[in-house]
Amino acid sequence: MLHHLPPPAETRPDFKLMGPRRRGMNPALLRRMRLSVIASVCVAVAACEGGFIGGGSESTIITDIVDSTRAGGSAGPMGGGQAQPTPPTFPPFRPGVLRPRVMLGTWYRNTVRDVLGAQAAAAVTVTPDLTEGGLVTIGASSKSVTPTDVTRFEDNAFAAAQAALADATARARLIPCTPSGVADAACMRTVVSTTGRRLFRRPLTPDEVTRWQTIGTAAAQGYSSFNRGVEFVLAGLLQSPNFVYLDERGTADAAKGWQRLSPYELASRLSFFLVQSTPDDALLEAAGNGSLETADGLRAQAQRLLRSTEAREAVSSLFDEVFELDSLTSSQKSDPAFNRDVAQSMRQELRLLFAHVAFDADQDFRDLLTTRVGFVDRRTAPLYGLPAPATGIQPVELPASRPGVLTRLGHLTNKAHDVDTSPTHRGKLVRQRLLCMAVAMAPPDVVAQVPPPDMNNRRTFRQRLEDRTAQARCQGCHSLMDPFGFPFEGFDSLGRPRTMDNGLPVDTTGTYDTIFSRDERYQGAQDFTALLRDDVRFSQCMATTVFRQATGRFELDSEGQVLHDVHEGWKSNGFKFPELVLAIVTSDAFRFGTLE
Amino acid sequence: MGFRLSRRFLLRGAGAAIALPTLEAMLNSHGTAYAQGMAFPKRYVVWFFGNGVILPRWRPAAQGQGTAWQLSEELQPLAAHKEQLTVVTGCNIRIPGRRGHHDGVAAMMSGAEIFPLPAGNAPYASRLTQRTVDQDLADVIGTQTRFKSLQLRVSKRVVRGEGPTLAFLSHASPTAPLEAVENPVTLFNQLFTGVMPSPNDPRNTLRTSVLDAVRDETRALQSRLGANDRARLDQHLTGIAELRQRIQTLPAQPVGACRVPAAATQTNADVSGQEQIEAVNRVMGDLLAMAFACDLTRVATVQFSGSVGFHTFNWLGSGPRASEHSLTHDQNEQGKVHDSVVFSMRCLSQTLASMKAITEGSNTVLDNSAVLVTSDVSEGYTHSGNDYPILVAGSAGGRLRTNMHYRATGGRNTSDVLLALMQAVGGPTFTGVGAGTGRSTTPMREIMTS
């Protein structure tokens, strides 16, 4: 997928790179000029030959680049130290627009599981969600419910209701009263309000209770069966827009001038963000008794949810998306050591690793890039050169040459060609997903194919790639990606260690990020991942990604101060993942919004 | 008044559960229409395959009609259907070139440019700026059928990370892409297992009551939203209305050529990690042809293989091979790309055969359809939008010329073909298609009979 044109500047969406922006005078004038020149070269060719995809004008892009780099210079030990930090200034705070999000497939299935039971969850089918900006949670904010969805919702609703009512345990929970007869309206009202509260994630209004009870009673009478009546109630609630949309309207907050999310809306926002399901009883209770109205109350509930197994699963799913692992389990390779089962094991390792770094041993989340913890099973152990564990997938300590997620099999395999590695794809993921900076596609007339080995002129893949991309027009983008991939040339296309490529020694050295004046030399993956771990752009990007996941939208310029504070708060708490979550959910950007 | 209404009228008269007389008795003496003067329905189908062709091996050498032209190498699998086929070459995509693959889908489905989505971490994503042609047609010819339109998919491995443009073919609006059915069992159940409730079963009445309550709650929610989100909920309300209508119409009846086929068992599950594309395609084609014969729908899109896509056609060579998309970008693998195009045409041929196997008077279901066959690029290697690969199968009930290779000159707008098909199937109410530089008000008369 290497031949896409960037959109012309006038149609570019308003995407902003990380970092405080549009400050006044920059004291590091010389450095800035140098950067501007480099950036201008890239941007000037960007219109036709790729480069950054940035904000509305070229100058904005350059400003962003300089500022975000300088943020690195001021905050990180690797910044070179020549720039005097200036305190960042931000536009006045204004929270983002509240838009209804359509229930994601995972949310839907988990909610059915939690409210109607496992049998019901097994009876529903969900289709893959749309991603926008790399996240399905953002896609949910612009998606419409289509006629196809309406049909699927109805099919699912009846299938789930019937499966739940066929199960004695689930049935007893869903019908908490004993009907006096098929037409027992009071008991039907109880059914509606009990289950409705979990599905609508708030108490139902009396009108709503009457609406669904009437249908339930009509069905019960039509079939001479109270349970059949309940089937229609459940199937109706599951099709209701009050269930299908995560609708956040808030109430006008005169003092602030924005909408303040209601406690029940906050409960939903928190729950789908952290555990990918509807709020549990304790959370709804907290919403009902007013304790979610304070930052402390929100924090307490968030802390409780963060301790659950479901929170680990949510983090695994988020970073599964960040690392684009869908393509790992759908890819094919000619190497017989690779197949679908091996791919699943590789993916499982990464999912476990994300949750481990986020939640276990109170660690710095940036250790994701440097940790030696791995998870191997009998399929992946041989590729790591380890003995296979007796059962299942087990934690191991990998050699020091395997620092962090970027050296795990799954990632190295996912971002490689069939036989050859791909410094470009490995580097692009770092640039785009871990530093939150976009790289444009190659122009259409470029053959983005590294020539095959020539027996008369032996070259490594890296050398052939460098030969191929030596022209300035290629370097505009490849200099943004390839240096982030070269450190991993010591791992082949299935992530196995190697010292030779095409009969020549591999070269894992390079310069960290020259185009942003980060001229530190690295020798291999250990050096590189240490630099990346401490690059403030990395931790900022992680904070931004989690913020987008929490709110289902892109951050605004007017939320720059909040994001800055979230990052600083996270940093002062040792970059522990739960602290990032708590900083986000207690921020005004999470608790307030505006209306369209 | 359409075919559907008349059949429903008959069914009502006959009583729901009673076997029905066939309609052959009601055909006119030419076998082209019903005695009352109503013609057989016309259908519009898009059959889409990803990643383009190898142009020199795709273009027929000579142009003309009948024996004047012969099938090219890549079109050989369609030999049995040459008389029902028109090949159009020499047309260009005229919308602004923004993103390879995305542009081609947008041009051939809507005639309008893409909208680049906010980059975030997926800087190539896009959506459409206009609804797709099949949905415009469905508004006109799909209002009386049980399904306004059908969306089918054969290869499941479509790209979903680059926005709706690559993942879907049909878009009811730019933010309402229509998910496709990829499991033939699901499709069979939707089409043919609608149980006719006994007059005493309140099920459908109750389903309708539920939908009415859902509609009321959706309207209440909609009234509280801003303009953009109100438009999103319009789609939802449309879906509710369509489902409600479907509940109230009858399931497929064995009338005319319509027969409830044997239950599908193919689920489109991988076998040993491999897609069963040929087998799935065959069942999908059979079900689609019968859906037309039963007049369950008149509009369908078939995403045979995705734009870009992760699909691999491993069985075409010895041992595993790279994804079709990767192959297109490898100058040494263009022979394999050619094999893939031939394979795709073989699968298309199967679907056309299914449509041709069902007769409607003196015609076939295929004759009464216009099947647009196209891709997301001309050639995957260059991402070019010039000399676009376009086939049309079927004559839309005699309104389109067939057995022809027409080579347009001057880089003619691909939207001219779209407009010709829209008019052939939907009539003169369609006076234009697309937007901006992609817009056409000049249907390609050269492929039309009048």
Side-chain angles (χ1 to χ4, degrees):
Chain A
M1 296 190 272
L2 276 175
H3 285 300
H4 297 232
L5 272 178
E10 70 272 16
T11 63
R12 278 181 203 147
D14 193 25
F15 170 65
K16 301 296 189 290
L17 298 171
M18 273 293 301
R21 308 181 48 247
R22 298 198 185 91
R23 283 169 275 170
M25 291 295 291
N26 185 336
L29 191 58
L30 283 174
R31 183 156 159 271
R32 176 175 191 144
M33 284 176 67
R34 177 185 165 206
L35 278 169
S36 296
V37 169
I38 295 165
S40 303
V41 170
C42 180
V43 171
V45 296
C48 58
E49 298 190 337
F52 296 102
I53 296 177
S57 73
E58 252 95 90
S59 60
T60 308
I61 300 168
I62 294 167
T63 310
D64 281 345
I65 291 166
V66 173
D67 284 353
S68 78
T69 310
R70 200 159 49 99
S74 62
M78 303 295 183
Q82 68 269 54
Q84 278 296 319
T86 40
T89 57
F90 298 95
F93 174 70
R94 185 177 168 79
V97 175
L98 298 168
R99 306 196 64 184
R101 278 185 277 170
V102 180
M103 179 90 47
L104 295 172
T106 318
W107 298 356
Y108 184 96
R109 191 189 287 283
N110 290 350
T111 300
V112 169
R113 176 199 66 199
D114 293 348
V115 181
L116 278 79
Q119 271 83 357
V124 303
T125 56
V126 296
T127 53
D129 291 302
L130 283 174
T131 67
E132 191 170 324
L135 293 177
V136 289
T137 44
I138 299 181
S141 297
S142 63
K143 184 195 155 39
S144 300
V145 171
T146 66
T148 328
D149 295 326
V150 170
T151 305
R152 195 178 65 252
F153 287 158
E154 199 210 21
D155 289 345
N156 276 341
F158 280 100
Q162 287 161 6
L165 292 169
D167 176 60
T169 315
R171 191 171 61 235
R173 204 173 57 240
L174 292 164
I175 310 176
C177 42
T178 307
S180 59
V182 294
D184 185 343
C187 184
M188 195 63 82
R189 289 185 78 83
T190 305
V191 170
V192 171
S193 48
T194 309
T195 305
R197 174 171 172 270
R198 288 297 302 284
L199 293 177
F200 289 10
R201 308 169 294 266
R202 58 169 172 78
L204 272 59
T205 65
D207 282 353
E208 286 168 338
V209 175
T210 302
R211 173 182 297 134
W212 294 109
Q213 173 264 313
T214 306
I215 287 173
T217 300
Q221 287 174 320
Y223 285 108
S224 300
S225 157
F226 187 83
N227 287 1
R228 289 303 299 274
V230 174
E231 175 191 329
F232 281 85
V233 166
L234 297 175
L237 295 173
L238 285 170
Q239 292 177 73
S240 167
N242 295 305
F243 167 68
V244 166
Y245 295 95
L246 196 57
D247 179 39
E248 298 163 336
R249 308 292 299 158
T251 50
D253 185 305
K256 301 254 190 187
W258 317 303
Q259 299 293 112
R260 173 189 287 273
L261 268 66
S262 78
Y264 286 107
E265 289 167 346
L266 282 172
S268 287
R269 195 177 250 224
L270 197 64
S271 188
F272 287 110
F273 166 39
L274 293 181
V275 295
Q276 304 185 92
S277 186
T278 198
D280 61 12
D281 280 326
L283 187 51
L284 289 174
E285 209 164 290
N289 68 24
S291 58
L292 288 188
E293 287 173 43
T294 65
D296 283 348
L298 257 179
R299 167 186 291 271
Q301 285 297 324
Q303 282 170 325
R304 182 177 69 83
L305 295 179
L306 282 168
R307 287 192 293 269
S308 67
T309 318
E310 289 75 18
R312 299 180 74 92
E313 187 59 26
V315 164
S316 295
S317 297
L318 169 59
F319 286 93
D320 188 293
E321 267 192 282
V322 168
F323 279 85
E324 304 173 353
L325 296 183
D326 260 346
S327 59
L328 172 62
T329 39
S330 62
S331 63
Q332 310 232 357
K333 305 230 180 197
S334 44
D335 192 321
F338 184 80
N339 59 43
R340 188 64 57 102
D341 292 334
V342 173
Q344 295 285 9
S345 295
M346 290 176 167
R347 189 172 184 174
Q348 181 61 13
E349 169 179 23
L350 293 182
R351 294 180 66 96
L352 289 171
L353 184 65
F354 301 140
H356 168 73
V357 176
F359 294 113
D360 297 339
D362 225 13
Q363 60 191 306
D364 186 321
F365 187 71
R366 299 174 305 162
D367 292 349
L368 181 66
L369 298 176
T370 50
T371 180
R372 288 171 63 184
V373 172
F375 296 88
V376 302
D377 66 6
R378 63 186 172 80
R379 296 195 178 92
T380 51
L383 292 164
Y384 278 120
L386 295 171
T391 56
I393 185 162
Q394 304 294 345
V396 290
E397 182 169 18
L398 295 169
S401 56
R402 290 270 186 187
V405 62
L406 297 175
T407 61
R408 294 298 176 270
L409 300 178
H411 172 67
L412 292 165
T413 302
N414 191 33
K415 297 298 171 184
H417 297 294
D418 179 12
V419 177
D420 291 315
T421 60
S422 177
T424 305
H425 285 294
R426 289 173 180 176
K428 190 166 85 171
L429 185 121
V430 171
R431 177 69 70 185
Q432 293 194 158
R433 295 289 196 160
L434 304 187
L435 298 184
C436 290
M437 300 165 83
V439 183
M441 282 279 180
D445 60 330
V446 159
V447 176
Q449 192 72 36
V450 174
D454 176 353
M455 292 314 287
N456 299 318
N457 179 21
R458 211 174 257 282
R459 307 280 278 163
T460 63
F461 184 79
R462 172 173 175 170
Q463 288 169 328
R464 283 179 280 136
L465 172 65
E466 287 178 314
D467 294 345
R468 189 79 192 79
T469 60
Q471 303 166 51
R473 66 191 299 245
C474 302
Q475 278 301 303
C477 289
H478 277 274
S479 64
L480 292 168
M481 302 182 285
D482 303 354
F484 288 172
F486 293 143
F488 308 103
E489 279 295 275
F491 302 102
D492 72 11
S493 68
L494 286 186
R496 289 169 296 212
R498 66 174 189 179
T499 54
M500 307 289 278
D501 177 24
N502 200 27
L504 296 169
V506 294
D507 177 5
T508 62
T509 66
T511 307
Y512 180 59
D513 199 5
T514 305
I515 200 163
F516 293 104
S517 288
R518 295 288 307 267
D519 295 330
E520 302 94 318
R521 295 283 301 171
Y522 60 74
Q523 310 265 345
Q526 275 172 277
D527 279 2
F528 175 80
T529 52
L531 286 166
L532 186 61
R533 178 193 185 277
D534 291 334
D535 190 331
V536 70
R537 294 174 300 176
F538 167 61
S539 47
Q540 284 177 333
C541 177
M542 292 299 98
T544 303
T545 301
V546 176
F547 176 83
R548 290 172 180 175
Q549 179 78 351
T551 55
R553 59 177 175 79
F554 292 103
E555 65 285 0
L556 303 180
D557 280 358
S558 59
E559 291 169 313
Q561 179 77 56
V562 168
L563 273 167
H564 176 81
D565 294 347
V566 162
H567 181 261
E568 291 304 302
W570 187 31
K571 181 176 150 193
S572 66
N573 282 301
F575 289 113
K576 290 167 196 153
F577 187 81
E579 295 295 336
L580 171 59
V581 168
L582 297 175
I584 289 171
V585 302
T586 54
S587 75
D588 279 359
F590 186 84
R591 298 163 66 202
F592 291 88
T594 53
L595 297 179
E596 183 190 335
Chain B
M1 188 163 160
F3 173 63
R4 173 73 218 171
L5 278 181
S6 82
R7 185 154 58 84
R8 202 189 305 161
F9 172 77
L10 280 174
L11 291 166
R12 283 212 189 105
I18 298 170
L20 293 153
T22 59
L23 281 175
E24 275 81 354
M26 301 169 65
L27 298 179
N28 69 13
S29 55
H30 309 294
T32 55
Y34 295 105
Q36 307 94 303
M38 286 177 292
F40 282 102
K42 296 178 181 53
R43 296 92 178 190
Y44 181 73
V45 184
V46 178
W47 197 93
F48 178 96
F49 62 105
N51 303 310
V53 302
I54 307 286
L55 280 174
R57 305 174 82 169
W58 168 270
R59 268 190 310 255
Q63 61 167 317
Q65 248 189 310
T67 54
W69 75 290
Q70 295 304 318
L71 293 168
S72 67
E73 211 180 334
E74 292 192 342
L75 296 174
Q76 273 306 323
L78 299 169
H81 312 300
K82 179 171 180 282
E83 290 184 9
Q84 284 78 42
L85 207 62
T86 282
V87 184
V88 179
T89 61
C91 292
N92 293 355
I93 289 208
R94 292 282 196 84
I95 61 168
R98 302 219 192 284
R99 288 172 191 179
H101 297 284
H102 295 248
D103 296 330
V105 179
M108 295 313 294
M109 296 307 297
S110 76
E113 67 187 300
I114 59 162
F115 174 81
L117 286 169
N121 295 319
Y124 324 118
S126 78
R127 61 169 165 75
L128 302 191
T129 53
Q130 287 207 340
R131 72 202 306 243
T132 51
V133 163
D134 57 292
Q135 292 303 298
D136 282 336
L137 274 164
D139 273 355
V140 173
I141 64 171
T143 54
Q144 302 299 323
T145 53
R146 193 164 159 78
F147 297 89
K148 195 170 162 189
S149 62
L150 288 180
Q151 288 74 38
L152 313 182
R153 175 183 294 133
V154 178
S155 169
K156 305 180 292 295
R157 310 240 159 96
V158 297
V159 169
R160 290 179 185 271
E162 293 194 32
T165 308
L166 293 198
F168 307 98
L169 289 180
S170 295
H171 302 249
S173 83
T175 58
L178 300 178
E179 183 57 80
V181 182
E182 51 193 27
N183 179 346
V185 171
T186 306
L187 179 63
F188 175 86
N189 290 340
Q190 282 181 8
L191 292 174
F192 297 111
T193 59
V195 182
M196 185 122 43
S198 78
N200 298 328
D201 190 336
R203 179 171 173 76
N204 282 352
T205 310
L206 289 165
R207 283 172 72 199
T208 307
S209 308
V210 167
L211 279 180
D212 289 347
V214 171
R215 179 198 58 207
D216 292 346
E217 291 192 348
T218 306
R219 282 183 183 153
L221 169 62
Q222 187 185 36
S223 69
R224 299 196 295 269
L225 299 175
N228 286 330
D229 291 324
R230 275 206 302 276
R232 285 168 77 198
L233 267 71
D234 275 341
Q235 290 298 327
H236 195 161
L237 289 166
T238 301
I240 293 169
E242 284 179 19
L243 177 57
R244 194 179 189 283
Q245 186 193 324
R246 201 149 66 232
I247 291 171
Q248 293 179 327
T249 55
L250 293 167
Q253 297 298 310
V255 174
C258 172
R259 298 283 179 277
V260 174
T265 54
Q266 169 61 247
T267 60
N268 201 354
D270 288 1
V271 176
S272 306
Q274 190 135 295
E275 293 199 287
Q276 304 298 299
I277 285 184
E278 203 159 4
V280 173
N281 178 72
R282 178 179 293 263
V283 183
M284 286 282 196
D286 284 346
L287 292 175
L288 177 63
M290 196 50 84
F292 286 142
C294 296
D295 204 28
L296 295 171
T297 191
R298 296 177 186 178
V299 176
T301 57
V302 183
Q303 191 177 32
F304 172 72
S305 58
S307 181
V308 184
F310 298 113
H311 53 283
T312 56
F313 296 157
N314 278 325
W315 49 88
L316 294 183
S318 49
R321 59 193 221 158
S323 79
E324 297 310 311
H325 176 250
S326 304
L327 293 175
T328 62
H329 288 302
D330 189 335
Q331 57 195 335
N332 302 313
E333 299 284 27
Q334 298 301 302
K336 287 186 183 170
V337 176
H338 167 76
D339 294 343
S340 306
V341 177
V342 171
F343 170 73
S344 299
M345 290 305 109
R346 199 165 83 218
C347 291
L348 168 65
S349 181
Q350 178 62 44
T351 299
L352 298 182
S354 301
M355 293 172 70
K356 209 152 92 175
I358 301 176
T359 53
E360 291 186 316
S362 58
N363 278 345
T364 67
V365 166
L366 177 59
D367 292 323
N368 290 325
S369 306
V371 184
L372 170 66
V373 180
T374 192
S375 190
D376 52 337
V377 284
S378 297
E379 288 189 302
Y381 187 59
T382 59
H383 281 183
S384 163
N386 291 342
D387 201 358
Y388 219 73
I390 297 171
L391 306 179
V392 181
S395 68
R399 292 194 186 172
L400 293 167
R401 293 174 197 265
T402 51
N403 198 1
M404 175 164 84
H405 170 210
Y406 175 67
R407 182 154 184 78
T409 53
R412 192 157 167 189
N413 190 350
T414 49
S415 296
D416 289 356
V417 179
L418 298 184
L419 187 55
L421 301 189
M422 291 171 88
Q423 291 189 351
V425 174
T429 107
F430 294 100
T431 55
V433 65
T437 50
R439 177 141 182 98
S440 165
T441 54
T442 50
M444 185 174 273
R445 296 253 172 245
E446 293 85 347
I447 64 169
M448 303 173 78
T449 50
S450 58

